């Protein structure tokens, strides 16, 4: 976890944080504690790392990559599978505001990170929003994985919703998949657009298996 904390601290410094290293590390540790919560099966530190790796890989595509990195850290920091609607995204954005604000990140940067986190509720991104595109593309990258890896992802999501009866889960998951398929594009940045076809194939395959 030391490497992750170092990545967090570097992103915070890049975003203008003025707090001392101990304060920054404490905030990063608080986030990691959340990412390690036992009810998580997909939305884990592994997912966080995967999103950060995509952001790092395409950081030159955006103007403020450190703000995207911080949004990646915060985007699923609050994750309660029993919460409704966009409560998790709203609560994650609020947590981001608290942690970044008390770490001395300038107000404009805090507001941008909050905005980016909220985008992950529906992954609908304006055509000129490159920071939003990078975060959402990174968050959805798993959708373009080979079928076996995608199926493992889908199974992990089901475990996170183990409290939901099967018929209700099928209906709810089908709505999520349909909303993703309804997006004009799953991936917006040109380097990641190659994932569009395999992602849609995976989503369509899972959706077909859920429907009666």
């Amino acid at each position: 976890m030391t490497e992750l904390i170092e990545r967090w601290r570097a992103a915070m410094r890049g975003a203008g944080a003025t707090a001392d290293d101990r304060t920054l590390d404490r905030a990063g540790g608080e986030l990691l504690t959340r990412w390690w919560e036992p009810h998580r099966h997909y939305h884990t530190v592994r997912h966080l790392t995967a999103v950060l790796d995509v952001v790092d890989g395409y950081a030159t595509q955006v103007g403020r990559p450190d703000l995207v990195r911080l949004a990646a850290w915060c985007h699923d920091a609050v994750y309660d599978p029993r919460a409704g609607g966009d409560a998790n995204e709203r609560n994650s954005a609020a947590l981001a505001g608290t942690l970044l604000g008390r770490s001395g990140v300038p107000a404009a940067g805090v507001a941008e990170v909050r905005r980016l986190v909220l985008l992950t509720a529906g992954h609908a991104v304006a055509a000129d929003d490159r920071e939003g595109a990078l975060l959402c593309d990174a968050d959805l990258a798993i959708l373009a994985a080979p079928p076996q890896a995608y199926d493992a992802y889908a199974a992990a999501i089901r475990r996170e919703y183990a409290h939901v009866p099967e018929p209700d889960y099928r209906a709810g998951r089908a709505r999520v998949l349909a909303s993703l398929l309804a997006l004009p594009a799953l991936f917006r940045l040109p380097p990641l657009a190659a994932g569009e076809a395999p992602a849609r194939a995976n989503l369509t395959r899972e959706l077909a298996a859920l429907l009666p």
Side-chain angles (χ1 to χ4, degrees):
M1 293 301 99
T2 300
E3 179 187 357
L4 276 174
I5 290 294
E6 289 175 352
R7 292 172 76 172
W8 160 260
R9 191 191 309 139
M12 288 287 274
R13 291 297 183 209
T18 58
D20 58 49
D21 284 352
R22 179 177 296 182
T23 299
L24 299 188
D25 292 356
R26 188 181 305 119
E30 179 178 337
L31 289 171
L32 284 177
T33 296
R34 291 174 175 274
W35 283 97
W36 278 113
E37 290 166 336
H39 65 271
R40 297 172 183 250
H41 299 278
Y42 171 70
H43 294 89
T44 63
V45 170
R46 182 176 180 181
H47 171 59
L48 167 62
T49 303
V51 173
L52 288 171
D53 287 347
V54 174
V55 173
D56 284 351
Y58 298 97
T60 58
Q61 299 286 318
V62 301
R64 296 294 305 275
D66 284 313
L67 297 182
V68 183
R69 292 182 178 103
L70 295 181
W73 271 90
C74 296
H75 81 288
D76 282 323
V78 178
Y79 185 72
D80 177 4
R82 297 176 185 270
D86 62 352
N88 284 325
E89 289 82 7
R90 288 187 286 105
N91 290 333
S92 293
L95 177 63
T98 298
L99 293 179
L100 273 58
R102 75 186 187 202
S103 298
V105 175
V110 175
E112 174 66 354
V113 171
R114 287 173 54 92
R115 183 189 73 82
L116 291 171
V117 170
L118 290 172
L119 284 179
T120 63
H123 298 93
V125 181
D128 60 349
D129 184 3
R130 296 188 71 80
E131 280 77 10
L134 179 54
L135 178 64
C136 288
D137 284 6
D139 191 30
L140 296 182
I142 184 61
L143 303 184
Q148 185 174 3
Y150 179 91
D151 291 346
Y153 144 75
I157 295 292
R158 180 65 182 104
R159 289 196 297 276
E160 290 181 340
Y161 286 86
H163 61 282
V164 179
E166 185 67 14
D168 295 339
Y169 179 79
R170 284 175 173 266
R173 180 66 176 167
R175 286 193 295 272
V176 170
L177 299 179
S179 69
L180 288 169
L181 286 166
L183 290 172
L186 293 166
F187 302 106
R188 295 85 174 173
L189 294 181
L192 294 164
E196 189 76 19
R200 289 189 177 274
N202 280 329
L203 291 169
T204 300
R205 180 169 55 83
E206 185 188 357
L207 180 59
L210 291 170
L211 297 175

